């Protein structure tokens, strides 16, 4: 159980680009988005910081958070709070996708984040995936009672870094 388990930490530079500049970088790197990801990225409530800053992140499975079988979104975020890791700002998704290009094929890495508004049809956040056709920043929908498998991987922000 975290912190006494293997975990992947990353320093990610966030901000300093407009949405148009991020899209240009996606095109340059052949990064794709699904329809939900495009909808979330285009939403005016997703603001990109004009100032660059660094975030220290940790990637953990639900099991290494101390939830051995599965967990709802609400349980997952409550447990993350209990162990002292934070929810990611929504803007981290596009910047992490641009910088994290050596992802293994198939594995999904979900970025913990607050939803931009309540509702089952509203995008809940982003996840990163590499498929045969390349790198993806994908959006997803999930309610607080959605059940995640214990092997799902989530990214959280480390405090004070």
């Amino acid at each position: 159980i975290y912190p006494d388990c293997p975990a992947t930490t990353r320093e990610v530079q966030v901000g300093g680009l407009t949405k148009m500049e991020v899209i240009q970088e996606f095109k340059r790197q052949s990064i794709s988005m699904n329809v939900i990801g495009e909808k979330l990225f285009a939403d005016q409530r997703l603001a990109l910081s004009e100032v660059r800053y660094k975030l220290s992140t940790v990637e953990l499975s639900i099991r290494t958070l101390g939830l051995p079988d599965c967990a709802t979104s609400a349980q997952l975020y409550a447990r993350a709070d209990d162990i002292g890791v934070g929810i990611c700002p929504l803007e981290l998704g596009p910047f992490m996708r641009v910088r994290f290009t050596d992802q293994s094929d198939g594995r999904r890495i979900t970025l913990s984040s607050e939803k931009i508004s309540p509702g089952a049809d509203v995008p809940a956040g982003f996840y990163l995936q590499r498929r045969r056709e390349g790198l993806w920043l994908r959006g997803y929908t999930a309610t607080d009672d959605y059940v995640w498998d214990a092997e799902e991987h989530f990214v959280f922000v480390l405090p004070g870094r």
Side-chain angles (χ1 to χ4, degrees):
I1 297 174
Y2 184 80
D4 300 319
C5 67
T8 303
T9 57
R10 295 181 186 90
E11 294 285 324
V12 183
Q13 190 151 6
V14 180
L17 297 176
T18 66
K19 285 186 177 182
M20 183 57 70
E21 290 169 328
V22 170
I23 293 295
Q24 289 170 348
E25 186 61 24
F26 279 12
K27 288 179 182 174
R28 192 181 76 69
Q29 291 190 37
S30 299
I31 294 171
S32 301
M33 284 194 282
N34 66 347
V35 172
I36 299 170
E38 289 172 349
K39 180 179 177 181
L40 184 55
F41 187 79
D43 194 294
Q44 292 179 350
R45 293 169 288 189
L46 171 59
L48 302 184
S49 174
E50 293 178 10
V51 177
R52 286 184 186 214
Y53 65 97
K54 282 189 181 179
L55 283 177
S56 296
T57 66
V58 61
E59 178 188 329
L60 300 166
S61 71
I62 290 175
R63 187 177 313 282
T64 58
L65 281 168
L67 300 165
D69 297 319
C70 57
T72 64
S73 296
Q75 291 169 325
L76 168 67
Y77 290 161
R79 179 66 183 139
D81 187 55
D82 289 346
I83 64 170
V85 295
I87 303 301
C88 300
L90 196 53
E91 73 173 319
L92 175 62
F95 291 98
M96 190 164 181
R97 174 70 294 163
V98 164
R99 287 166 179 79
F100 176 43
T101 58
D102 60 346
Q103 182 177 4
S104 301
D105 279 351
R107 198 176 71 163
R108 179 174 56 205
I109 301 170
T110 304
L111 283 79
S112 62
S113 61
E114 296 285 332
K115 288 179 79 167
I116 55 174
S117 67
D121 295 337
V122 176
F126 291 113
Y127 67 91
L128 312 178
Q129 191 170 35
R130 177 187 288 277
R131 297 173 145 196
R132 285 187 316 257
E133 63 273 14
L135 296 172
W136 285 78
L137 175 68
R138 300 179 63 86
Y140 69 95
T141 57
T143 59
D144 284 346
D145 61 352
Y146 180 83
V147 178
W148 299 91
D149 183 88
E151 296 307 317
E152 290 282 345
H153 283 244
F154 277 78
V155 173
F156 298 94
V157 174
L158 292 170
R161 297 189 182 177

